[in-house]
Amino acid sequence: MEVVPLPEHFDVVVIGGGPGGYAAALYGASAGLRIALIEKNKVGGTCLHVGCIPAKELLETATVYRHVAGAKEFGIEAGQPTVDFAVTQARKQKVIDQLFKGLSGLLKQRKITVYDGHGRLHAERRVTVDGGESGEVELTGDAVIIASGSLPRSIPGFDVDGEVVLTSDEVLSLEEVPSSVAVIGGGAIGCEFASMFSDLGSQVTILEALPKILPGCDSDAANVVSRSFKKRGIEIKTGVKVGGHQPSGKGGTTVDLGEGGTLDVDKVVVSVGRRPNTDDLGLDGTGVKLDDRGFVQVDEYCRTGEDSVWAVGDCIATPALAHVGFAEGIAVITDILGEDVVPVDYGKVPWAIYCHPEVAFAGHTEESAKEAGFEVVTSKHRYMGNGRALIIGDADGLVKVIAEKNAEGNGGRILGVHMAGPWVTEQLGQGYLAVNWEATVDEVAHFIQPHPSLAETFGETVLSLTGRSLHG
Ligand SMILES: Cc1cc2nc3c(=O)[nH]c(=O)nc-3n(C[C@H](O)[C@H](O)[C@H](O)COP(=O)(O)OP(=O)(O)OC[C@H]3O[C@@H](n4cnc5c(N)ncnc54)[C@H](O)[C@@H]3O)c2cc1C
C-alpha cells in the first residue's frame, strides 16, 4: 500500500515574502511561532527588488548629480557631470543584494522554513506549493496569512513592451538615461521618476488626468513640488486623457494627448498605480473573498471571511506602502497570538515621497479636516527662513500644521503635519508622533529643536499656532 505523506504542519503559513509577508514571518518567529514562508520569486518582494529600494537608490544618484552640478555655488569647480548608468545600476544592485542577503540570513536565523514556489490556499487551511525549487509540497497551518502583493497596472492604448512603454519594473533596470520621457500619472511614484529623469538630464513631461499632481497630498505641499518641477523644466500637463501612442519612426513614439495634441518622446513610463496580485491564489472552498477590483476582502483586523486566514499588504485595499504591510504583519501576528490588537489607523500612517523636493505627511490635510467637520487653524513656515536650509543650499519648501481650533482661537489637537522640502522624509517623525499621540499644540510647542537644523521649521510652525511666535 502506498503511504501518502501527511502535509507538514506549521503554526503559521505565509503566502508571499514581500514586506507584509516577511514582517509577519519574522515577528511571528520572534514570538516563538513555527512559520512557513512561501515565495515564488525572491524574498523582499516588490519593495526590495523592483520598488522602494531600487527607486530610492536611483533617486540618490540623481541627488548626487544635482549636487555635483551645483557645486560651483560653493566654490567647488567640478565641471559638468556625466552619468555612467552601468555603474549606477551596478551600485543599485549591490544595495539590493546586500539587503537580500541580510533578509535571507535573518529568515534562516529565525528558523523560518522558506519554500520556493507558487502557493495556493485550499479548504481547511491546506496550502499547496509548486512550480519552484521546492517542488510539489503540501502544508497546513493553524493560521494562514495571504501576502501576495501587487503588480504594475497599465492603461488601454499603452501595452507594456519594456522597450518604449515601461512600468516601474522596466524603468528600474534601464541601461541608459532616455533623452525624453512622458510619465503618465503624477502620483508619488510618477513624480519620483519625473524628478530622477529630469535631474539626470532627460526632458520630462508629466501627463496627469486629474487637475493637479500628487492628489491626496495637501495642496500647499503639492504646489511646492509643481513649482519646483516647472522651474527645473519638467512640463506638467494636467487634465490630460491620453489616448494611445504610435511609433514615431525615430525609435521613440508619439503620444496622443486627446484635445491636447501629441507629444514625441523616447520612452513612456506608465505610472497609474498597481493592482492586487490575487489572480491565482486558489481559494476554492474557502471563505476568502475578493472585491470587484481583486483585493482580498478583510475587516479592520485584516481577517478574511475564512476562519484563521488573514491578508496583509498590497493585496488588500489599504495604503500600498511597505511600512503599512509591516504594521499589518505585526498586527496579524498579535491577533494570532490572542493578544490585544490595535488595528492600523490608516488615516494617520506616514507618507514619504522622495522626489526633489521631498514630501512627507501624516494625518489630515486642511481640506480633509474641514470635510471631516473640524474647525481648524493652520500655520505654514517656509524653509527660506531656516539657517540650515540656506547652508545646504536647499531652501525651497514649507511645513504646514493643521490643528483643531481651541476655545481661544489658537491651535488645539494636532490633526495633520505636511512637509515639502529638504530631507522632509527624515523629518516627519516628530509630526507623525504628534498626530498619532493626538498631542496638542501646547504640548509640542515647548519642545526644543537643535539649532541650526531643518527641524526648527517644524518647531516654529507649531509655536505660531499658540498665538505667539519667534521668527514667524
Ligand atoms: C517603484 C516603486 C516605488 C515604491 N516606493 C515605495 C516607498 O518609497 N515606500 C513605501 O512604503 N512603499 C513603496 N512602494 C510600495 C511597496 O513596494 C509595496 O507597498 C510593498 O512592496 C508591498 O508589500 P507586500 O508584501 O504587500 O507585497 P510585495 O512586495 O508585492 O510582495 C509580494 C510577494 O509575494 C510573492 N507572491 C505573490 N503571489 C504568490 C504566490 N501565490 N505564491 C508565492 N509567492 C507569491 C511575490 O513574488 C512577491 O515577492 C513602491 C512601489 C514601487 C513599485
Side-chain angles (χ1 to χ4, degrees):
M1 193 177 77
E2 194 192 348
V3 180
V4 181
L6 283 175
E8 190 161 358
H9 186 76
F10 290 86
D11 294 327
V12 185
V13 177
V14 184
I15 303 175
Y22 78 68
L26 290 174
Y27 193 70
S30 78
L33 296 173
R34 196 164 167 258
I35 312 261
L37 178 65
I38 306 164
E39 171 54 57
K40 64 178 174 184
N41 194 1
K42 278 182 160 187
V43 292
T46 303
C47 171
L48 177 53
H49 300 284
V50 283
C52 326
I53 298 298
K56 265 81 278 190
E57 206 284 337
L58 294 183
L59 275 154
E60 197 54 35
T61 299
T63 302
V64 172
Y65 187 102
R66 204 172 51 245
H67 285 171
V68 175
K72 204 169 175 191
E73 188 196 329
F74 292 79
I76 298 169
E77 289 293 346
Q80 181 58 30
T82 55
V83 191
D84 182 341
F85 216 54
V87 176
T88 303
Q89 286 289 10
R91 183 178 192 277
K92 178 208 82 179
Q93 198 53 46
K94 201 169 148 200
V95 172
I96 294 172
D97 290 347
Q98 191 168 337
L99 290 169
F100 176 64
K101 201 169 150 207
L103 176 60
S104 306
L106 202 52
L107 291 166
K108 206 166 172 186
Q109 200 189 0
R110 299 262 170 100
K111 303 199 172 13
I112 293 163
T113 310
V114 178
Y115 290 92
D116 180 302
H118 186 109
R120 288 181 191 85
L121 176 67
H122 310 274
E124 311 284 323
R125 294 186 301 284
R126 192 174 61 86
V127 177
T128 53
V129 184
D130 63 28
E133 281 180 13
S134 301
E136 289 190 16
V137 184
E138 243 188 84
L139 313 170
T140 50
D142 288 339
V144 173
I145 303 174
I146 302 170
S148 56
S150 62
L151 298 167
R153 252 184 349 113
S154 190
I155 47 172
F158 293 89
D159 291 336
V160 178
D161 60 9
E163 289 294 323
V164 174
V165 181
L166 319 174
T167 66
S168 54
D169 284 1
E170 293 81 25
V171 169
L172 294 169
S173 50
L174 277 174
E175 286 171 6
E176 53 188 38
V177 179
S179 66
S180 58
V181 185
V183 179
I184 302 178
I189 295 173
C191 283
E192 289 186 354
F193 284 147
S195 184
M196 173 191 86
F197 281 127
S198 170
D199 280 337
L200 295 176
S202 304
Q203 176 57 50
V204 179
T205 308
I206 298 177
L207 305 171
E208 169 57 57
L210 294 173
K212 63 169 193 155
I213 61 166
L214 296 176
C217 291
D218 186 273
S219 301
D220 286 303
N223 287 342
V224 168
V225 177
S226 308
R227 273 197 301 270
S228 164
F229 274 15
K230 284 177 190 163
K231 241 189 278 171
R232 281 153 64 199
I234 299 174
E235 200 169 343
I236 302 173
K237 292 180 186 285
T238 52
V240 174
K241 299 256 187 306
V242 288
H245 74 108
Q246 286 295 332
S248 62
K250 294 171 250 165
T253 198
T254 303
V255 182
D256 170 11
L257 307 183
E259 287 171 11
T262 58
L263 176 71
D264 284 335
V265 284
D266 278 356
K267 305 275 183 207
V268 178
V269 175
V270 184
S271 186
V272 292
R274 297 175 64 82
R275 64 179 179 85
N277 185 10
T278 54
D279 294 348
D280 190 12
L281 284 176
L283 307 183
D284 285 350
T286 75
V288 179
K289 297 271 174 293
L290 306 182
D291 70 13
D292 52 4
R293 293 176 298 163
F295 289 106
V296 179
Q297 288 182 351
V298 289
D299 67 8
E300 62 176 326
Y301 296 98
C302 298
R303 296 171 186 153
T304 68
E306 175 75 14
D307 191 33
S308 297
V309 177
W310 286 256
V312 299
D314 282 11
C315 68
I316 62 173
T318 55
L321 294 167
H323 45 274
V324 168
F326 294 146
E328 289 168 343
I330 291 171
V332 163
I333 291 296
T334 311
D335 204 14
I336 288 171
L337 291 166
E339 297 170 359
D340 286 344
V341 196
V342 180
V344 177
D345 185 345
Y346 296 108
K348 292 181 182 156
V349 304
W351 289 80
I353 304 168
Y354 298 76
C355 54
H356 177 74
E358 294 183 347
V359 177
F361 60 95
H364 275 295
T365 62
E366 185 175 349
E367 296 91 339
S368 74
K370 286 177 180 164
E371 272 165 30
F374 289 105
E375 202 179 343
V376 301
V377 283
T378 67
S379 171
K380 283 184 259 182
H381 278 252
R382 296 203 164 266
Y383 283 103
M384 201 47 90
N386 177 299
R388 187 82 196 279
L390 292 177
I391 291 165
I392 65 172
D394 197 356
D396 195 9
L398 54 76
V399 175
K400 177 172 175 181
V401 176
I402 295 124
E404 212 172 354
K405 196 185 234 175
N406 68 12
E408 290 80 44
N410 295 321
R413 183 166 48 129
I414 295 174
L415 300 172
V417 175
H418 298 260
M419 301 173 154
W423 287 106
V424 295
T425 55
E426 294 294 336
Q427 287 190 68
L428 181 66
Q430 296 191 62
Y432 171 77
L433 282 183
V435 168
N436 278 271
W437 242 316
E438 303 193 343
T440 64
V441 163
D442 286 341
E443 284 166 339
V444 177
H446 68 274
F447 288 166
I448 300 171
Q449 309 295 337
H451 175 77
S453 73
L454 297 169
E456 287 176 287
T457 302
F458 172 72
E460 288 273 358
T461 313
V462 176
L463 184 64
S464 58
L465 282 170
T466 64
R468 298 180 190 162
S469 69
L470 212 51
H471 305 95

